[in-house]
Amino acid sequence: MSVSVLESKRLEAVLKGDEEVEVVGTGTDAMAYALMLADIDVTSAYPIRPYGGVMQTVSKLIADGYLKAEYIVAAHEHDQFEIVKHASAVGARTFVGSSGVGWLLAIEAIVVISTDRYPVVALIGNRALDDPGAYGVEHNDALMVRDVGWLLVWVDTAQEALDTTLIAYRVAEDPRVMLPVGISMDGAFLTHSEHVFKIPPKSKVQKFLPPYDLGNRKLHPSNVISVAPQVNEDWVTEIRKQMDEAMKNARKVIVEAYRDFAKIFGRDYGNPFVEPYMVEDADVIMVGMGTVSRPIKEAVRRLRAKGEKVGFLRIRWFRPFPTEDIIHYLSGAKVVAVVDRDYSFGSPFDGGAVYTEIRSALYEAEHRPLIINFIGGLGGREITYNDAINMFNIALDTARKGKVEQRVIWYGVRE
């Protein structure tokens, strides 16, 4: 199946012209167009929903000649990630992706990609982990790699998915970083829903994104090097510390990348790490990641109209974690309410992963707000505008009482 005639004209325009074009497509379509503009060399595919849409669109772009790349169908997810790891080692810009338990089936290769410092970019189409079966969104699949050297970013629109993919390659391939990036996209709510978004011209992408250069680590017969030697206790600590420094460096590189992106493309995301929404004077601030921002922002607008001082903070980059921004935006509030589309069984206070990290970050704040946690939207269950209003009302009641009566609330659990 090839792209439509209308789509063909628009793709010709962005590849050969200087103007961006507006199209309608899904979040995975938007990412596929970014991969075309980034001129990836190799991608490997294995089907699993909800990530699979990106591979379908990429295959059409290759078939119709808009993207010249090797499209390798893998035997399973582990092979997928092994393929891009080795391709990256020989100097190819690569893309890969998966969802849920498929992502975890590849975990050995996923960890080695980061410990070998290959700047692979991956889509994690967020999906609940089996069992029981559920195709809907949860964030635990992506969060499983939060401690092993992957940079993790969440997007909540198709436009942000396209733009973030270009930014991800710029950050991952920076010599100061050289770490993989996982772009998390809420399954169904963004992977499959259609949005209006703009595809920038390739001429601008070429100004923003330099060619992939692995330098003297490129595996080639003319460059005799050893990759992944057995070093045991002699060097593992030093190698882990190098990764730690690379992750710290990523904060500065991310800022630079967003700054340059705004200059070249004219879309300014403001703070790269978080999106503050009406938080300046808020007594109650809700925090979340991904598409949950939509109903929560609507709830903020409605409650503000009634005089309630509420706001919302969306976390984009989870790794590196935006500690300073969390302290800056949240420490002035009376109550912080964290919405986790994940769980962390047995964690401190039995809360979600995001809640636990935010509690940790705010420990250093001079003023520590009260913090409550909503675990909700699991398995793809929708968090509606009314749900967001109910959550805000619980948080506002906590602010009025000045104390937390229940730290963690599993929202909407049927009795």
Side-chain angles (χ1 to χ4, degrees):
M1 182 180 295
S2 60
V3 300
S4 67
V5 174
L6 179 61
E7 190 178 6
S8 175
K9 290 181 178 176
R10 288 171 174 164
L11 293 179
E12 290 288 345
V14 296
L15 291 173
K16 297 178 180 177
D18 294 322
E19 300 295 328
E20 59 184 12
V21 298
E22 192 170 80
V23 299
V24 176
T26 65
T28 53
D29 288 339
M31 177 170 277
Y33 293 135
L35 300 175
M36 174 189 71
L37 297 171
D39 259 340
I40 62 166
D41 300 303
V42 174
T43 185
S44 59
Y46 187 79
I48 186 170
R49 69 184 76 175
Y51 118 94
V54 68
M55 302 316 308
Q56 295 168 18
T57 307
V58 166
S59 69
K60 289 194 292 185
L61 294 172
I62 292 175
D64 289 349
Y66 296 109
L67 171 62
K68 291 181 171 56
E70 292 290 333
Y71 187 104
I72 303 173
V73 179
H76 44 66
E77 287 89 348
H78 187 277
D79 277 4
Q80 254 189 294
F81 285 77
E82 282 290 330
I83 289 166
V84 295
K85 180 189 76 177
H86 288 88
S88 184
V90 298
R93 177 171 286 162
T94 60
F95 171 77
V96 70
S98 193
S99 295
V101 290
W103 170 254
L104 294 189
L105 192 148
I107 195 67
E108 182 201 26
I110 286 172
V111 172
V112 173
I113 286 171
S114 58
T115 53
D116 282 348
R117 306 283 300 277
Y118 291 127
V120 171
V121 172
L123 166 62
I124 310 165
N126 295 134
R127 166 181 164 173
L129 301 173
D130 297 341
D131 278 343
Y135 295 132
V137 56
E138 286 180 7
H139 291 165
N140 278 88
D141 51 1
L143 291 170
M144 286 284 184
V145 303
R146 62 182 172 170
D147 299 325
V148 295
W150 277 70
L151 282 71
L152 292 173
V153 58
W154 263 261
V155 295
D156 84 332
T157 66
Q159 187 69 65
E160 192 175 31
L162 190 155
D163 296 345
T164 302
T165 302
L166 299 175
I167 291 169
Y169 280 109
R170 166 79 176 259
V171 172
E173 295 174 2
D174 189 288
R176 296 165 289 178
V177 179
M178 284 292 171
L179 290 172
V181 177
I183 301 174
S184 282
M185 189 183 296
D186 284 358
F189 292 119
L190 182 52
T191 57
H192 287 66
S193 64
E194 294 208 323
H195 300 228
V196 176
F197 60 91
K198 296 178 179 178
I199 308 175
K202 190 170 183 177
S203 56
K204 289 188 177 179
V205 175
Q206 289 171 329
K207 292 178 183 175
F208 174 74
L209 184 62
Y212 174 40
D213 182 6
L214 200 54
N216 59 12
R217 293 200 303 124
K218 181 178 177 179
L219 193 61
H220 189 272
S222 64
N223 183 42
V224 181
I225 58 173
S226 177
V227 177
Q230 193 73 18
V231 298
N232 298 330
E233 70 276 15
D234 289 337
W235 289 104
V236 166
T237 301
E238 286 72 19
I239 292 170
R240 298 286 185 263
K241 183 55 181 166
Q242 287 179 348
M243 291 181 65
D244 179 60
E245 292 301 318
M247 186 63 79
K248 290 176 181 174
N249 291 342
R251 288 188 172 91
K252 180 180 180 181
V253 175
I254 289 169
V255 170
E256 294 172 357
Y258 276 82
R259 179 197 63 203
D260 292 348
F261 186 91
K263 287 180 182 176
I264 294 173
F265 297 93
R267 271 191 294 282
D268 191 345
Y269 283 88
N271 187 317
F273 299 98
V274 296
E275 180 193 13
Y277 187 76
M278 297 188 181
V279 299
E280 291 77 12
D281 62 342
D283 291 330
V284 170
I285 301 177
M286 202 169 285
V287 182
M289 302 196 300
T291 57
V292 74
S293 71
R294 300 290 148 179
I296 295 178
K297 286 179 178 175
E298 179 61 20
V300 168
R301 288 192 288 271
R302 301 283 184 95
L303 289 171
R304 282 273 176 178
K306 295 179 180 179
E308 299 286 4
K309 296 168 70 173
V310 298
F312 174 64
L313 189 73
R314 178 169 68 91
I315 296 176
R316 283 197 189 95
W317 289 86
F318 189 83
R319 284 290 183 271
F321 194 75
T323 308
E324 292 183 3
D325 295 304
I326 292 297
I327 294 173
H328 173 71
Y329 287 110
L330 300 185
S331 62
K334 294 178 180 175
V335 173
V336 171
V338 182
V339 180
D340 269 283
R341 219 162 199 159
D342 64 82
Y343 44 83
S344 182
F345 300 133
S347 64
F349 305 106
D350 301 308
V354 181
Y355 164 78
T356 302
E357 299 255 345
I358 287 177
R359 281 187 67 93
S360 174
L362 288 175
Y363 187 80
E364 295 295 321
E366 290 187 16
H367 170 73
R368 297 179 201 160
L370 301 175
I371 309 177
I372 58 176
N373 185 201
F374 295 104
I375 294 178
L378 302 184
R381 187 177 293 182
E382 191 171 5
I383 295 177
T384 66
Y385 155 76
N386 287 328
D387 293 327
I389 290 289
N390 290 337
M391 292 176 183
F392 267 122
N393 284 335
I394 294 171
L396 287 165
D397 188 52
T398 301
R400 283 189 284 270
K401 292 176 178 175
K403 64 178 182 180
V404 174
E405 294 182 335
Q406 185 176 354
R407 287 194 183 94
V408 181
I409 300 168
W410 282 66
Y411 185 82
V413 174
R414 292 190 292 266
E415 298 294 337

